[in-house]
Amino acid sequence: MSADMVVIGAGVIGSSIALELARAGHRVIVLERAPGAGQGSTSASSAIVRFNFSTIAGVATAWEAHFGWLDWAGHLGHDVGDLASFRQSGLVLLDVDVAPRTSSLPLFDKIGVPYEEWDSATLAERVPGIDAGRYWPPKRLDDEEFWQDAKDSLGAVYTPDAGYVSDPGLAAVNLAAAAAAHGAEFRFRSTVTAVEKAGGRVTAVRLSDGTRIPCAVVVNAAGPWSGALNRLAGVGSDFTVGVRPMRQEVAHVPVPAGYHGPAVADMDLGTYFRGEVGGDLLVGGTEPECDLLQWTDDPDTVDVHPTAAVFEAQVTRAARRLPDLAVPNRARGVVGVYDVADDWTPIYDRTDLGGFYVAIGTSGNQFKNAPVVGQLMAELIDRVENGADHDASPVRFRAPRTGLEIDLGAFSRRRSRNSANSGTVMG
Ligand SMILES: Cc1cc2nc3c(=O)[nH]c(=O)nc-3n(C[C@H](O)[C@H](O)[C@H](O)COP(=O)(O)OP(=O)(O)OC[C@H]3O[C@@H](n4cnc5c(N)ncnc54)[C@H](O)[C@@H]3O)c2cc1C
């Protein structure tokens, strides 16, 4: 068995890359240690599709990608059965000094992302049941200041085109099925344990059962395991931005009666939430400074059960914002792992090992971009394999649906760290 190109990982990112490489006519093998596509961190995703990022490339990528979700069947290009669907709920980004409107709105204007600016009265009117109080900074529940009344009120920026994807695991399965229809081969229960090289280029990968797969190109799309895979390949020494796995919990709670509101990003209280048609409210966190971040060296060792402490903190914060939200006694939800880049911005790049590429550091915020990540990685690989010096003169990707030009240097492994990042999952 041999391939032109091997993709390691069949999450939403690896499956999307496989689709675009196969569409471009390459012989692609995807190696995935799980029994199916989308069973890694993708399956735990809140799958929120929003546009506020701290770089112009980040906003452009998210805006382009949302057209892919809107036209999911068209994006896949094959009838692959049941499809994940995009629900356009809109998203409210509550005002917060660490990510001010003055930073995000010029980027929206430049890219053409529609938005509305709301004062606190409009926020209360447009999101019935919301408490528009300003509580900054986020606090722990055992801090008595947590329970103090708001001293002020806040407004928000509303982006009506935002929303979420109904079933993130199914989205990866859809991408994998479309890639297979284009000829990509998926080998599940296949764990890569070695990357072979000669003359400064990758030559093959080896699986845990000893199978050797010769190939010219390898793409590391291993999600929270990406750092370990880079170490296997011996790459990373020239990276200015590192990656590290972080455990995350998302609480699932009954939606307060009558709440049909948009998704809410609430860094003021350190939380975010979105509804699910006919289902729960999903409540996640935005890494407030008062919380202990759950870094881990090995994603396989994380406790996969939601904990009472995190559940209570997240849901109680959300209940300050939505006073009709009840805080259940028993923790319920999902646990996942982020692959966090030092500046919360992904790394989509080549490496100093010829033929070895990375689509990593997705930092809890790149599910939404998956349709475009496949395309931009395929373009990057094609250009670099044909002699482009991406490090000296970064590839510019022309986004097919919006016509936007995205400077892929923004996602370089050797970039100056993105100093505008919020230090949180918001990127
Ligand atoms: C709790 C949570 C909430 C999130 N919410 C959002 C959100 O609202 N919006 C958003 O845009 N993003 C969100 N994200 C981020 C988003 O889900 C991820 O960025 C995205 O799913 C990452 O996809 P991936 O394909 O890179 O990784 P994964 O889905 O983890 O896939 C990597 C795959 O590689 C496989 N693998 C690893 N090592 C090997 C090996 N050696 N050999 C073979 N296979 C291997 C793994 O088994 C895994 O299936 C969230 C993430 C989490 C965890």
Side-chain angles (χ1 to χ4, degrees):
M1 185 190 354
S2 71
D4 298 339
M5 301 190 177
V6 161
V7 178
I8 303 173
V12 74
I13 297 290
S15 299
S16 179
I17 294 168
L19 170 58
E20 301 306 333
L21 292 175
R23 255 204 261 262
H26 299 290
R27 281 185 310 142
V28 179
I29 295 182
V30 183
L31 301 168
E32 168 57 60
R33 59 183 209 156
Q39 297 183 8
S41 60
T42 295
S43 59
S45 186
S46 302
I48 293 175
V49 175
R50 60 176 170 85
F51 315 114
N52 54 295
F53 281 93
S54 50
T55 63
I56 194 78
V59 177
T61 306
W63 183 240
E64 169 74 14
H66 110 282
F67 290 103
W69 294 116
L70 278 172
D71 176 27
W72 192 229
H75 176 80
L76 297 171
H78 275 276
D79 180 1
V80 295
D82 276 357
L83 295 184
S85 61
F86 176 65
R87 308 265 162 79
Q88 191 179 331
S89 61
L91 179 127
V92 174
L93 182 66
L94 300 185
D95 284 340
V96 68
D97 289 347
V98 289
R101 291 182 199 196
T102 46
S103 306
S104 57
L105 297 190
L107 302 184
F108 284 175
D109 288 336
K110 207 160 175 186
I111 299 302
V113 178
Y115 61 86
E116 296 171 24
E117 292 191 75
W118 290 355
D119 58 16
S120 55
T122 312
L123 174 62
E125 184 193 323
R126 295 286 297 275
V127 186
I130 201 166
D131 172 342
R134 184 188 298 277
Y135 294 98
W136 182 265
K139 298 164 198 79
R140 296 168 53 87
L141 300 196
D142 56 12
D143 180 342
E144 61 191 38
E145 285 191 19
F146 177 86
W147 305 98
Q148 283 181 1
D149 291 339
K151 294 180 186 77
D152 195 0
S153 60
L154 41 70
V157 172
Y158 176 60
T159 45
D161 298 273
Y164 63 92
V165 173
S166 59
D167 183 338
L170 181 58
V173 169
N174 291 161
L175 287 163
H182 277 285
E185 183 187 340
F186 283 73
R187 298 202 56 189
F188 296 113
R189 297 189 173 86
S190 299
T191 304
V192 174
T193 50
V195 176
E196 297 184 358
K197 41 195 168 174
R201 274 201 72 91
V202 67
T203 53
V205 295
R206 246 183 220 285
L207 304 183
S208 54
D209 65 3
T211 306
R212 181 173 185 276
I213 303 174
C215 55
V217 163
V218 172
V219 184
N220 176 355
W225 297 267
S226 68
L229 200 65
N230 276 355
R231 288 189 288 279
L232 267 188
V235 304
S237 62
D238 67 337
F239 283 42
T240 53
V241 181
V243 294
R244 202 173 164 199
M246 182 196 280
R247 182 180 181 278
Q248 279 293 324
E249 296 188 22
V250 177
H252 289 189
V253 288
V255 181
Y259 182 78
H260 303 295
V264 174
D266 181 4
M267 293 171 75
D268 181 65
L269 277 160
T271 186
Y272 71 82
F273 50 86
R274 71 155 171 92
E276 174 88 79
V277 175
D280 288 323
L281 192 76
L282 271 59
V283 183
T286 59
E287 295 75 46
E289 271 183 25
C290 59
D291 285 3
L292 204 60
L293 300 181
Q294 300 187 21
W295 297 107
T296 171
D297 289 328
D298 181 357
D300 291 324
T301 60
V302 304
D303 179 354
V304 297
H305 303 290
T307 59
V310 174
F311 178 86
E312 204 191 338
Q314 285 177 339
V315 181
T316 308
R317 285 171 182 150
R320 289 235 79 175
R321 194 57 73 202
L322 290 179
D324 289 341
L325 178 68
V327 185
N329 289 330
R330 211 156 56 87
R332 191 164 62 86
V334 297
V335 172
V337 182
Y338 291 168
D339 181 30
V340 180
D342 294 338
D343 58 2
W344 294 86
T345 301
I347 306 171
Y348 301 134
D349 202 357
R350 57 166 298 169
T351 64
D352 61 354
L353 172 60
F356 192 86
Y357 294 81
V358 290
I360 65 175
T362 57
S363 302
N365 58 41
Q366 291 295 300
F367 174 87
K368 63 181 69 57
N369 287 344
V372 176
V373 174
Q375 296 168 337
L376 65 81
M377 284 301 295
E379 168 102 13
L380 177 73
I381 292 166
D382 179 57
R383 298 277 287 278
V384 172
E385 291 301 304
N386 284 296
D389 185 350
H390 176 60
D391 289 336
S393 177
V395 171
R396 301 182 79 82
F397 170 72
R398 178 69 66 182
R401 292 179 188 264
T402 56
L404 291 163
E405 195 179 69
I406 302 174
D407 175 2
L408 300 188
F411 306 124
S412 162
R413 71 200 186 284
R414 292 179 175 177
R415 63 183 174 242
S416 313
R417 283 192 194 182
N418 166 20
S419 56
N421 87 88
S422 64
T424 76
V425 69
M426 302 306 285

